Amino acid sequence: MNKEFDFLIYNIENTEERIQVILKEDTIWLTQKAMGELFGVNSPVISKHLKNIFLEGELDENMVVSILENTTQHGAIMGKTQTKKVKFIISMQ
C-alpha cells in the first residue's frame, strides 16, 4: 500500500479562508467541512447529500471514504497532543 501523500492548502481568493486537502495518487481528498467551505454551505448539508448518495447506491462509501488520523494539541493539557480520526472523501468531478 502506498502511504505517500501531499497535504495542500488552498487560499480562497479575496478572503482569508483556506481549504485543506490531501492529494494521494492523483486523487484529491477533502473532509466534509472542507467540502462545505468549497461549496459555501455548512457541514450538515454535505453530510445529508453524502448520506443520500450512499443510500441510493450512486457511490460506494467504502470506495470514496478514507479515515486518516489527525494529531492536534490537547485543549486542556499544555504540551500534550491528541489523535482524532477524520473521514476524508474523494473529490468528484
Side-chain angles (χ1 to χ4, degrees):
M1 178 180 218
N2 183 356
K3 295 192 180 224
E4 291 185 28
F5 62 89
D6 292 312
F7 181 76
L8 304 172
I9 298 176
Y10 289 96
N11 293 317
I12 299 174
E13 191 172 340
N14 299 323
T15 71
E16 292 186 23
E17 293 187 48
R18 297 177 177 174
I19 297 175
Q20 299 177 7
V21 302
I22 301 260
L23 179 61
K24 181 178 179 185
E25 297 175 6
D26 297 326
T27 302
I28 297 173
W29 296 85
L30 298 103
T31 62
Q32 289 181 24
K33 181 180 178 184
M35 283 182 135
E37 291 169 354
L38 180 65
F39 294 107
V41 297
N42 293 326
S43 295
V45 174
I46 299 297
S47 297
K48 177 183 172 185
H49 284 292
L50 289 172
K51 179 180 175 184
N52 289 335
I53 287 168
F54 298 143
L55 284 174
E56 293 173 5
E58 185 177 338
L59 292 174
D60 180 353
E61 185 173 3
N62 295 319
M63 299 297 289
V64 297
V65 174
S66 181
I67 298 175
L68 302 174
E69 290 186 348
N70 188 15
T71 303
T72 60
Q73 288 289 6
H74 194 285
I77 303 172
M78 189 99 143
K80 183 172 173 136
T81 59
Q82 58 191 7
T83 302
K84 175 178 158 185
K85 292 185 179 181
V86 179
K87 282 187 179 181
F88 281 80
I89 300 154
I90 190 172
S91 172
M92 297 161 277
Q93 297 181 16

